[in-house]
Amino acid sequence: MKSCMKNRIVSVLMLTTLAVASCAAVATTPSELNDLEIAHTAYVADNIDIQYAHLALALSTNPDIHEFARTMIRDHEAVNEQALALLEKLGAEAQDNFLSQKLIADSKSIIDNLTQLRGAEFDKAYADNELGYHKAVNELVADAFIPNIENPEVKALFEQGLKIFKQHEEHAAMMVKKLNE
Amino acid sequence: MWLSLTRRAALVCVAHLVFSGQLSATEVAQDTAANTGTNHRVYIEDMQFSPAKLQVRFGDTITWINNDFIPHTATAVDKSWNSKNLAKGEEFSLIVSDNTVLDYYCFYHPNMIAKIEILN
């Protein structure tokens, strides 16, 4: 009888602990994301920029836009390859989260808008979006992700990624300036 | 003039052979050593050329090595010489002549700029 009561108490305690852990695991702000959620968000953000780049290759005839778009595909695919290799090495799987979902939802409306445009209007909108997107993602990576990543290898990859994406931001700024001349 | 053209031809030829894999960077280095030129290395890492300013003499060899996991190029501003795509770990060499254009950049990342300086 005593043993049965003890087991019930242990079970209740375990369930309570899991429930608390589960509540704590649901992040509602970027800085609350865990390493695997951050990895998922970054992977999604990379894929969104690759999608924008494919759209630019299909709709633009401007050689500068094409070159930039090819660089985005080349670099973001390389970053994602590194991220997947690291996750495999760590035996972990990236976790979907509110921010990944928000990025995907936002990208759908941006793609809808871009696909309505042609010529110089498209080029300008694509370049403006690339500048704004890289600026926003770089701030997120620098201020919310890197300070909160716990795994040193994941942190190192994000630090390397940030250097690449800062170059992209500068490249996009050059492109915007040239298109406005 | 003849000498100048020969040097330019040699540069183009060596760069092509190294890039196409028919001649290794070591072979270039040995060849240059025979010509008493110095070998210099420029590392491409963390989205920068390092060193960004390299001092050389005519006849010296410069080898660029990409240590980043994303591809880069080392390309003259007028595109008169060009490593083309350098994946991680790949190298490109050229012998500096009086015709070598000294300012260069990464074609993929145009804010990555660097220069070669000629010592008297």
Side-chain angles (χ1 to χ4, degrees), chain A residues 67 71 74-75 78-79 82 157 160 163-164 167-168 170-171 174, chain B residues 46-48 67-71 85 88 107-112:
Chain A
E67 203 47 61
T71 294
R74 194 185 303 115
D75 288 358
V79 171
Q82 293 287 316
L157 181 57
Q160 273 183 295
K163 284 175 190 159
I164 297 167
Q167 276 286 341
H168 291 174
E170 285 177 30
H171 192 168
M174 266 173 64
Chain B
D46 290 337
M47 306 300 284
Q48 288 176 338
N67 286 338
D68 276 342
F69 64 75
I70 62 165
N85 191 76
K88 185 177 182 175
F107 182 72
Y108 301 149
H109 310 100
N111 288 307
M112 286 175 61

PDB file of all heavy atoms in Angstrom, chain A residues 67 71 74-75 78-79 82 157 160 163-164 167-168 170-171 174, chain B residues 46-48 67-71 85 88 107-112:
ATOM      1  N   GLU A  67      23.610  37.970 -61.245  1.00  0.00           N
ATOM      2  CA  GLU A  67      24.858  37.595 -60.553  1.00  0.00           C
ATOM      3  C   GLU A  67      24.638  37.535 -59.044  1.00  0.00           C
ATOM      4  O   GLU A  67      25.087  36.609 -58.368  1.00  0.00           O
ATOM      5  CB  GLU A  67      25.970  38.592 -60.911  1.00  0.00           C
ATOM      6  CG  GLU A  67      27.365  38.039 -60.726  1.00  0.00           C
ATOM      7  CD  GLU A  67      27.532  36.633 -61.328  1.00  0.00           C
ATOM      8  OE1 GLU A  67      27.355  36.465 -62.546  1.00  0.00           O
ATOM      9  OE2 GLU A  67      27.815  35.715 -60.548  1.00  0.00           O
ATOM     10  N   THR A  71      24.793  34.249 -56.522  1.00  0.00           N
ATOM     11  CA  THR A  71      25.605  34.233 -55.295  1.00  0.00           C
ATOM     12  C   THR A  71      24.744  33.823 -54.095  1.00  0.00           C
ATOM     13  O   THR A  71      25.193  33.051 -53.242  1.00  0.00           O
ATOM     14  CB  THR A  71      26.264  35.610 -55.057  1.00  0.00           C
ATOM     15  OG1 THR A  71      27.200  35.842 -56.103  1.00  0.00           O
ATOM     16  CG2 THR A  71      26.991  35.684 -53.725  1.00  0.00           C
ATOM     17  N   ARG A  74      24.249  30.053 -54.313  1.00  0.00           N
ATOM     18  CA  ARG A  74      25.523  29.359 -54.030  1.00  0.00           C
ATOM     19  C   ARG A  74      25.854  29.401 -52.527  1.00  0.00           C
ATOM     20  O   ARG A  74      26.138  28.380 -51.916  1.00  0.00           O
ATOM     21  CB  ARG A  74      26.623  30.069 -54.828  1.00  0.00           C
ATOM     22  CG  ARG A  74      27.928  29.345 -54.937  1.00  0.00           C
ATOM     23  CD  ARG A  74      28.963  30.219 -55.647  1.00  0.00           C
ATOM     24  NE  ARG A  74      28.556  30.667 -56.965  1.00  0.00           N
ATOM     25  CZ  ARG A  74      28.343  31.954 -57.289  1.00  0.00           C
ATOM     26  NH1 ARG A  74      28.481  32.911 -56.397  1.00  0.00           N
ATOM     27  NH2 ARG A  74      27.980  32.279 -58.506  1.00  0.00           N
ATOM     28  N   ASP A  75      25.766  30.602 -51.934  1.00  0.00           N
ATOM     29  CA  ASP A  75      26.193  30.760 -50.534  1.00  0.00           C
ATOM     30  C   ASP A  75      25.190  30.161 -49.547  1.00  0.00           C
ATOM     31  O   ASP A  75      25.578  29.468 -48.597  1.00  0.00           O
ATOM     32  CB  ASP A  75      26.385  32.247 -50.206  1.00  0.00           C
ATOM     33  CG  ASP A  75      27.620  32.835 -50.876  1.00  0.00           C
ATOM     34  OD1 ASP A  75      28.353  32.077 -51.557  1.00  0.00           O
ATOM     35  OD2 ASP A  75      27.861  34.041 -50.725  1.00  0.00           O
ATOM     36  N   ALA A  78      25.375  26.498 -49.520  1.00  0.00           N
ATOM     37  CA  ALA A  78      26.588  26.039 -48.813  1.00  0.00           C
ATOM     38  C   ALA A  78      26.403  26.117 -47.302  1.00  0.00           C
ATOM     39  O   ALA A  78      26.818  25.214 -46.566  1.00  0.00           O
ATOM     40  CB  ALA A  78      27.792  26.877 -49.243  1.00  0.00           C
ATOM     41  N   VAL A  79      25.764  27.194 -46.832  1.00  0.00           N
ATOM     42  CA  VAL A  79      25.529  27.338 -45.384  1.00  0.00           C
ATOM     43  C   VAL A  79      24.593  26.229 -44.899  1.00  0.00           C
ATOM     44  O   VAL A  79      24.841  25.596 -43.862  1.00  0.00           O
ATOM     45  CB  VAL A  79      24.941  28.742 -45.054  1.00  0.00           C
ATOM     46  CG1 VAL A  79      24.502  28.817 -43.596  1.00  0.00           C
ATOM     47  CG2 VAL A  79      25.963  29.838 -45.346  1.00  0.00           C
ATOM     48  N   GLN A  82      26.370  22.947 -44.565  1.00  0.00           N
ATOM     49  CA  GLN A  82      27.173  22.909 -43.335  1.00  0.00           C
ATOM     50  C   GLN A  82      26.273  22.652 -42.126  1.00  0.00           C
ATOM     51  O   GLN A  82      26.626  21.883 -41.237  1.00  0.00           O
ATOM     52  CB  GLN A  82      27.893  24.251 -43.123  1.00  0.00           C
ATOM     53  CG  GLN A  82      28.961  24.570 -44.133  1.00  0.00           C
ATOM     54  CD  GLN A  82      30.199  23.727 -43.951  1.00  0.00           C
ATOM     55  OE1 GLN A  82      30.665  23.538 -42.829  1.00  0.00           O
ATOM     56  NE2 GLN A  82      30.738  23.202 -45.025  1.00  0.00           N
ATOM     57  N   LEU A 157      29.270  28.130 -36.214  1.00  0.00           N
ATOM     58  CA  LEU A 157      28.695  28.146 -37.558  1.00  0.00           C
ATOM     59  C   LEU A 157      27.876  29.422 -37.782  1.00  0.00           C
ATOM     60  O   LEU A 157      27.937  30.037 -38.851  1.00  0.00           O
ATOM     61  CB  LEU A 157      27.827  26.894 -37.784  1.00  0.00           C
ATOM     62  CG  LEU A 157      27.183  26.771 -39.167  1.00  0.00           C
ATOM     63  CD1 LEU A 157      28.228  26.792 -40.280  1.00  0.00           C
ATOM     64  CD2 LEU A 157      26.357  25.498 -39.275  1.00  0.00           C
ATOM     65  N   GLN A 160      30.218  32.332 -38.355  1.00  0.00           N
ATOM     66  CA  GLN A 160      30.723  32.318 -39.739  1.00  0.00           C
ATOM     67  C   GLN A 160      29.632  32.786 -40.696  1.00  0.00           C
ATOM     68  O   GLN A 160      29.892  33.569 -41.611  1.00  0.00           O
ATOM     69  CB  GLN A 160      31.144  30.895 -40.122  1.00  0.00           C
ATOM     70  CG  GLN A 160      32.579  30.557 -39.744  1.00  0.00           C
ATOM     71  CD  GLN A 160      32.929  29.165 -40.234  1.00  0.00           C
ATOM     72  OE1 GLN A 160      32.347  28.177 -39.761  1.00  0.00           O
ATOM     73  NE2 GLN A 160      33.826  29.074 -41.187  1.00  0.00           N
ATOM     74  N   LYS A 163      29.119  36.543 -40.888  1.00  0.00           N
ATOM     75  CA  LYS A 163      30.111  37.256 -41.719  1.00  0.00           C
ATOM     76  C   LYS A 163      29.708  37.198 -43.198  1.00  0.00           C
ATOM     77  O   LYS A 163      29.845  38.171 -43.928  1.00  0.00           O
ATOM     78  CB  LYS A 163      31.500  36.626 -41.536  1.00  0.00           C
ATOM     79  CG  LYS A 163      32.126  37.016 -40.215  1.00  0.00           C
ATOM     80  CD  LYS A 163      33.428  36.303 -39.993  1.00  0.00           C
ATOM     81  CE  LYS A 163      33.903  36.521 -38.567  1.00  0.00           C
ATOM     82  NZ  LYS A 163      34.848  35.520 -38.110  1.00  0.00           N
ATOM     83  N   ILE A 164      29.205  36.042 -43.621  1.00  0.00           N
ATOM     84  CA  ILE A 164      28.767  35.882 -45.021  1.00  0.00           C
ATOM     85  C   ILE A 164      27.554  36.773 -45.287  1.00  0.00           C
ATOM     86  O   ILE A 164      27.508  37.508 -46.274  1.00  0.00           O
ATOM     87  CB  ILE A 164      28.413  34.400 -45.299  1.00  0.00           C
ATOM     88  CG1 ILE A 164      29.644  33.519 -45.129  1.00  0.00           C
ATOM     89  CG2 ILE A 164      27.805  34.229 -46.691  1.00  0.00           C
ATOM     90  CD1 ILE A 164      29.346  32.022 -45.067  1.00  0.00           C
ATOM     91  N   GLN A 167      28.192  40.424 -45.703  1.00  0.00           N
ATOM     92  CA  GLN A 167      28.668  40.723 -47.065  1.00  0.00           C
ATOM     93  C   GLN A 167      27.487  40.815 -48.022  1.00  0.00           C
ATOM     94  O   GLN A 167      27.451  41.673 -48.889  1.00  0.00           O
ATOM     95  CB  GLN A 167      29.621  39.626 -47.554  1.00  0.00           C
ATOM     96  CG  GLN A 167      31.056  39.791 -47.103  1.00  0.00           C
ATOM     97  CD  GLN A 167      31.780  40.898 -47.855  1.00  0.00           C
ATOM     98  OE1 GLN A 167      31.350  41.310 -48.930  1.00  0.00           O
ATOM     99  NE2 GLN A 167      32.860  41.385 -47.274  1.00  0.00           N
ATOM    100  N   HIS A 168      26.534  39.915 -47.853  1.00  0.00           N
ATOM    101  CA  HIS A 168      25.338  39.937 -48.713  1.00  0.00           C
ATOM    102  C   HIS A 168      24.587  41.258 -48.530  1.00  0.00           C
ATOM    103  O   HIS A 168      24.096  41.839 -49.490  1.00  0.00           O
ATOM    104  CB  HIS A 168      24.401  38.776 -48.373  1.00  0.00           C
ATOM    105  CG  HIS A 168      24.947  37.427 -48.738  1.00  0.00           C
ATOM    106  ND1 HIS A 168      24.313  36.257 -48.412  1.00  0.00           N
ATOM    107  CD2 HIS A 168      26.068  37.059 -49.405  1.00  0.00           C
ATOM    108  CE1 HIS A 168      25.012  35.225 -48.858  1.00  0.00           C
ATOM    109  NE2 HIS A 168      26.087  35.696 -49.462  1.00  0.00           N
ATOM    110  N   GLU A 170      25.819  44.145 -47.613  1.00  0.00           N
ATOM    111  CA  GLU A 170      26.582  45.217 -48.275  1.00  0.00           C
ATOM    112  C   GLU A 170      26.417  45.146 -49.795  1.00  0.00           C
ATOM    113  O   GLU A 170      26.282  46.163 -50.461  1.00  0.00           O
ATOM    114  CB  GLU A 170      28.070  45.111 -47.910  1.00  0.00           C
ATOM    115  CG  GLU A 170      28.375  45.573 -46.498  1.00  0.00           C
ATOM    116  CD  GLU A 170      29.845  45.382 -46.151  1.00  0.00           C
ATOM    117  OE1 GLU A 170      30.698  45.447 -47.048  1.00  0.00           O
ATOM    118  OE2 GLU A 170      30.132  45.146 -44.965  1.00  0.00           O
ATOM    119  N   HIS A 171      26.439  43.916 -50.312  1.00  0.00           N
ATOM    120  CA  HIS A 171      26.265  43.706 -51.753  1.00  0.00           C
ATOM    121  C   HIS A 171      24.869  44.191 -52.185  1.00  0.00           C
ATOM    122  O   HIS A 171      24.723  44.874 -53.205  1.00  0.00           O
ATOM    123  CB  HIS A 171      26.447  42.205 -52.050  1.00  0.00           C
ATOM    124  CG  HIS A 171      26.582  41.871 -53.506  1.00  0.00           C
ATOM    125  ND1 HIS A 171      26.987  40.639 -53.942  1.00  0.00           N
ATOM    126  CD2 HIS A 171      26.345  42.576 -54.632  1.00  0.00           C
ATOM    127  CE1 HIS A 171      27.006  40.615 -55.258  1.00  0.00           C
ATOM    128  NE2 HIS A 171      26.620  41.791 -55.709  1.00  0.00           N
ATOM    129  N   MET A 174      24.767  47.931 -52.321  1.00  0.00           N
ATOM    130  CA  MET A 174      25.408  48.409 -53.563  1.00  0.00           C
ATOM    131  C   MET A 174      24.429  48.334 -54.734  1.00  0.00           C
ATOM    132  O   MET A 174      24.345  49.217 -55.572  1.00  0.00           O
ATOM    133  CB  MET A 174      26.608  47.502 -53.898  1.00  0.00           C
ATOM    134  CG  MET A 174      27.944  47.988 -53.391  1.00  0.00           C
ATOM    135  SD  MET A 174      29.209  46.720 -53.669  1.00  0.00           S
ATOM    136  CE  MET A 174      29.258  46.604 -55.446  1.00  0.00           C
TER     137      MET A 174
ATOM    138  N   ASP B  46      37.049  34.065 -43.717  1.00  0.00           N
ATOM    139  CA  ASP B  46      36.149  35.009 -43.038  1.00  0.00           C
ATOM    140  C   ASP B  46      35.766  36.160 -43.953  1.00  0.00           C
ATOM    141  O   ASP B  46      35.745  37.325 -43.524  1.00  0.00           O
ATOM    142  CB  ASP B  46      36.777  35.524 -41.740  1.00  0.00           C
ATOM    143  CG  ASP B  46      36.855  34.445 -40.686  1.00  0.00           C
ATOM    144  OD1 ASP B  46      36.066  33.476 -40.775  1.00  0.00           O
ATOM    145  OD2 ASP B  46      37.709  34.555 -39.786  1.00  0.00           O
ATOM    146  N   MET B  47      35.547  35.853 -45.225  1.00  0.00           N
ATOM    147  CA  MET B  47      35.081  36.831 -46.214  1.00  0.00           C
ATOM    148  C   MET B  47      36.082  37.970 -46.426  1.00  0.00           C
ATOM    149  O   MET B  47      35.694  39.110 -46.663  1.00  0.00           O
ATOM    150  CB  MET B  47      33.713  37.411 -45.792  1.00  0.00           C
ATOM    151  CG  MET B  47      32.644  36.379 -45.516  1.00  0.00           C
ATOM    152  SD  MET B  47      32.298  35.340 -46.953  1.00  0.00           S
ATOM    153  CE  MET B  47      31.343  36.430 -47.970  1.00  0.00           C
ATOM    154  N   GLN B  48      37.372  37.649 -46.317  1.00  0.00           N
ATOM    155  CA  GLN B  48      38.414  38.651 -46.551  1.00  0.00           C
ATOM    156  C   GLN B  48      39.603  38.011 -47.239  1.00  0.00           C
ATOM    157  O   GLN B  48      39.842  36.809 -47.076  1.00  0.00           O
ATOM    158  CB  GLN B  48      38.914  39.210 -45.208  1.00  0.00           C
ATOM    159  CG  GLN B  48      37.932  40.110 -44.510  1.00  0.00           C
ATOM    160  CD  GLN B  48      38.438  40.557 -43.160  1.00  0.00           C
ATOM    161  OE1 GLN B  48      39.302  39.913 -42.561  1.00  0.00           O
ATOM    162  NE2 GLN B  48      37.895  41.649 -42.672  1.00  0.00           N
ATOM    163  N   ASN B  67      39.926  29.270 -47.785  1.00  0.00           N
ATOM    164  CA  ASN B  67      39.656  28.519 -46.558  1.00  0.00           C
ATOM    165  C   ASN B  67      38.204  28.636 -46.094  1.00  0.00           C
ATOM    166  O   ASN B  67      37.835  28.031 -45.094  1.00  0.00           O
ATOM    167  CB  ASN B  67      40.575  29.003 -45.428  1.00  0.00           C
ATOM    168  CG  ASN B  67      41.998  28.520 -45.603  1.00  0.00           C
ATOM    169  OD1 ASN B  67      42.246  27.531 -46.302  1.00  0.00           O
ATOM    170  ND2 ASN B  67      42.953  29.205 -45.006  1.00  0.00           N
ATOM    171  N   ASP B  68      37.409  29.443 -46.795  1.00  0.00           N
ATOM    172  CA  ASP B  68      35.990  29.551 -46.429  1.00  0.00           C
ATOM    173  C   ASP B  68      35.217  28.372 -47.011  1.00  0.00           C
ATOM    174  O   ASP B  68      35.614  27.825 -48.037  1.00  0.00           O
ATOM    175  CB  ASP B  68      35.386  30.849 -46.985  1.00  0.00           C
ATOM    176  CG  ASP B  68      35.637  32.041 -46.065  1.00  0.00           C
ATOM    177  OD1 ASP B  68      35.965  31.828 -44.882  1.00  0.00           O
ATOM    178  OD2 ASP B  68      35.502  33.187 -46.533  1.00  0.00           O
ATOM    179  N   PHE B  69      34.088  28.033 -46.381  1.00  0.00           N
ATOM    180  CA  PHE B  69      33.315  26.906 -46.938  1.00  0.00           C
ATOM    181  C   PHE B  69      32.430  27.340 -48.102  1.00  0.00           C
ATOM    182  O   PHE B  69      31.825  26.505 -48.762  1.00  0.00           O
ATOM    183  CB  PHE B  69      32.520  26.168 -45.860  1.00  0.00           C
ATOM    184  CG  PHE B  69      31.447  26.960 -45.174  1.00  0.00           C
ATOM    185  CD1 PHE B  69      30.246  27.245 -45.812  1.00  0.00           C
ATOM    186  CD2 PHE B  69      31.620  27.395 -43.863  1.00  0.00           C
ATOM    187  CE1 PHE B  69      29.259  27.968 -45.174  1.00  0.00           C
ATOM    188  CE2 PHE B  69      30.633  28.132 -43.224  1.00  0.00           C
ATOM    189  CZ  PHE B  69      29.447  28.411 -43.884  1.00  0.00           C
ATOM    190  N   ILE B  70      32.337  28.661 -48.319  1.00  0.00           N
ATOM    191  CA  ILE B  70      31.606  29.107 -49.519  1.00  0.00           C
ATOM    192  C   ILE B  70      32.630  29.450 -50.603  1.00  0.00           C
ATOM    193  O   ILE B  70      33.762  29.824 -50.301  1.00  0.00           O
ATOM    194  CB  ILE B  70      30.674  30.310 -49.240  1.00  0.00           C
ATOM    195  CG1 ILE B  70      31.480  31.527 -48.776  1.00  0.00           C
ATOM    196  CG2 ILE B  70      29.597  29.971 -48.243  1.00  0.00           C
ATOM    197  CD1 ILE B  70      30.690  32.804 -48.837  1.00  0.00           C
ATOM    198  N   PRO B  71      32.245  29.326 -51.874  1.00  0.00           N
ATOM    199  CA  PRO B  71      33.201  29.596 -52.950  1.00  0.00           C
ATOM    200  C   PRO B  71      33.515  31.091 -53.097  1.00  0.00           C
ATOM    201  O   PRO B  71      32.699  31.947 -52.753  1.00  0.00           O
ATOM    202  CB  PRO B  71      32.476  29.098 -54.208  1.00  0.00           C
ATOM    203  CG  PRO B  71      31.325  28.302 -53.731  1.00  0.00           C
ATOM    204  CD  PRO B  71      30.960  28.836 -52.388  1.00  0.00           C
ATOM    205  N   ASN B  85      35.964  29.956 -60.155  1.00  0.00           N
ATOM    206  CA  ASN B  85      35.419  29.446 -58.889  1.00  0.00           C
ATOM    207  C   ASN B  85      36.463  28.692 -58.048  1.00  0.00           C
ATOM    208  O   ASN B  85      37.067  27.731 -58.516  1.00  0.00           O
ATOM    209  CB  ASN B  85      34.260  28.501 -59.198  1.00  0.00           C
ATOM    210  CG  ASN B  85      33.477  28.128 -57.967  1.00  0.00           C
ATOM    211  OD1 ASN B  85      32.697  28.915 -57.475  1.00  0.00           O
ATOM    212  ND2 ASN B  85      33.687  26.929 -57.458  1.00  0.00           N
ATOM    213  N   LYS B  88      36.206  25.415 -51.301  1.00  0.00           N
ATOM    214  CA  LYS B  88      37.040  25.323 -50.101  1.00  0.00           C
ATOM    215  C   LYS B  88      38.275  24.453 -50.371  1.00  0.00           C
ATOM    216  O   LYS B  88      38.143  23.346 -50.908  1.00  0.00           O
ATOM    217  CB  LYS B  88      36.243  24.757 -48.937  1.00  0.00           C
ATOM    218  CG  LYS B  88      37.059  24.771 -47.660  1.00  0.00           C
ATOM    219  CD  LYS B  88      36.317  24.293 -46.465  1.00  0.00           C
ATOM    220  CE  LYS B  88      37.258  24.411 -45.260  1.00  0.00           C
ATOM    221  NZ  LYS B  88      36.624  24.092 -44.017  1.00  0.00           N
ATOM    222  N   PHE B 107      34.675  38.121 -57.354  1.00  0.00           N
ATOM    223  CA  PHE B 107      33.586  38.380 -58.299  1.00  0.00           C
ATOM    224  C   PHE B 107      32.212  38.101 -57.662  1.00  0.00           C
ATOM    225  O   PHE B 107      31.236  38.774 -57.967  1.00  0.00           O
ATOM    226  CB  PHE B 107      33.782  37.502 -59.548  1.00  0.00           C
ATOM    227  CG  PHE B 107      32.745  37.719 -60.610  1.00  0.00           C
ATOM    228  CD1 PHE B 107      32.740  38.883 -61.364  1.00  0.00           C
ATOM    229  CD2 PHE B 107      31.766  36.771 -60.857  1.00  0.00           C
ATOM    230  CE1 PHE B 107      31.775  39.101 -62.335  1.00  0.00           C
ATOM    231  CE2 PHE B 107      30.800  36.971 -61.840  1.00  0.00           C
ATOM    232  CZ  PHE B 107      30.809  38.139 -62.576  1.00  0.00           C
ATOM    233  N   TYR B 108      32.157  37.120 -56.770  1.00  0.00           N
ATOM    234  CA  TYR B 108      30.881  36.786 -56.132  1.00  0.00           C
ATOM    235  C   TYR B 108      30.499  37.777 -55.031  1.00  0.00           C
ATOM    236  O   TYR B 108      29.332  37.957 -54.725  1.00  0.00           O
ATOM    237  CB  TYR B 108      30.941  35.386 -55.506  1.00  0.00           C
ATOM    238  CG  TYR B 108      31.247  34.264 -56.458  1.00  0.00           C
ATOM    239  CD1 TYR B 108      31.940  33.137 -56.027  1.00  0.00           C
ATOM    240  CD2 TYR B 108      30.848  34.316 -57.795  1.00  0.00           C
ATOM    241  CE1 TYR B 108      32.217  32.091 -56.879  1.00  0.00           C
ATOM    242  CE2 TYR B 108      31.129  33.276 -58.665  1.00  0.00           C
ATOM    243  CZ  TYR B 108      31.817  32.168 -58.194  1.00  0.00           C
ATOM    244  OH  TYR B 108      32.099  31.131 -59.042  1.00  0.00           O
ATOM    245  N   HIS B 109      31.528  38.335 -54.371  1.00  0.00           N
ATOM    246  CA  HIS B 109      31.291  39.233 -53.234  1.00  0.00           C
ATOM    247  C   HIS B 109      32.079  40.520 -53.480  1.00  0.00           C
ATOM    248  O   HIS B 109      33.206  40.667 -52.983  1.00  0.00           O
ATOM    249  CB  HIS B 109      31.742  38.560 -51.928  1.00  0.00           C
ATOM    250  CG  HIS B 109      31.206  37.175 -51.755  1.00  0.00           C
ATOM    251  ND1 HIS B 109      31.947  36.042 -52.034  1.00  0.00           N
ATOM    252  CD2 HIS B 109      29.974  36.755 -51.392  1.00  0.00           C
ATOM    253  CE1 HIS B 109      31.192  34.978 -51.826  1.00  0.00           C
ATOM    254  NE2 HIS B 109      29.995  35.374 -51.438  1.00  0.00           N
ATOM    255  N   PRO B 110      31.510  41.436 -54.268  1.00  0.00           N
ATOM    256  CA  PRO B 110      32.296  42.582 -54.756  1.00  0.00           C
ATOM    257  C   PRO B 110      32.820  43.527 -53.682  1.00  0.00           C
ATOM    258  O   PRO B 110      33.653  44.383 -53.992  1.00  0.00           O
ATOM    259  CB  PRO B 110      31.317  43.303 -55.697  1.00  0.00           C
ATOM    260  CG  PRO B 110      30.018  42.647 -55.561  1.00  0.00           C
ATOM    261  CD  PRO B 110      30.155  41.375 -54.818  1.00  0.00           C
ATOM    262  N   ASN B 111      32.356  43.362 -52.444  1.00  0.00           N
ATOM    263  CA  ASN B 111      32.936  44.202 -51.375  1.00  0.00           C
ATOM    264  C   ASN B 111      34.232  43.618 -50.821  1.00  0.00           C
ATOM    265  O   ASN B 111      34.894  44.250 -50.007  1.00  0.00           O
ATOM    266  CB  ASN B 111      31.929  44.378 -50.236  1.00  0.00           C
ATOM    267  CG  ASN B 111      30.801  45.292 -50.645  1.00  0.00           C
ATOM    268  OD1 ASN B 111      31.043  46.408 -51.096  1.00  0.00           O
ATOM    269  ND2 ASN B 111      29.581  44.809 -50.540  1.00  0.00           N
ATOM    270  N   MET B 112      34.563  42.426 -51.242  1.00  0.00           N
ATOM    271  CA  MET B 112      35.855  41.831 -50.837  1.00  0.00           C
ATOM    272  C   MET B 112      36.909  42.316 -51.832  1.00  0.00           C
ATOM    273  O   MET B 112      37.018  41.780 -52.929  1.00  0.00           O
ATOM    274  CB  MET B 112      35.780  40.296 -50.888  1.00  0.00           C
ATOM    275  CG  MET B 112      34.983  39.671 -49.769  1.00  0.00           C
ATOM    276  SD  MET B 112      34.831  37.881 -49.992  1.00  0.00           S
ATOM    277  CE  MET B 112      36.541  37.348 -49.963  1.00  0.00           C
TER     278      MET B 112
END
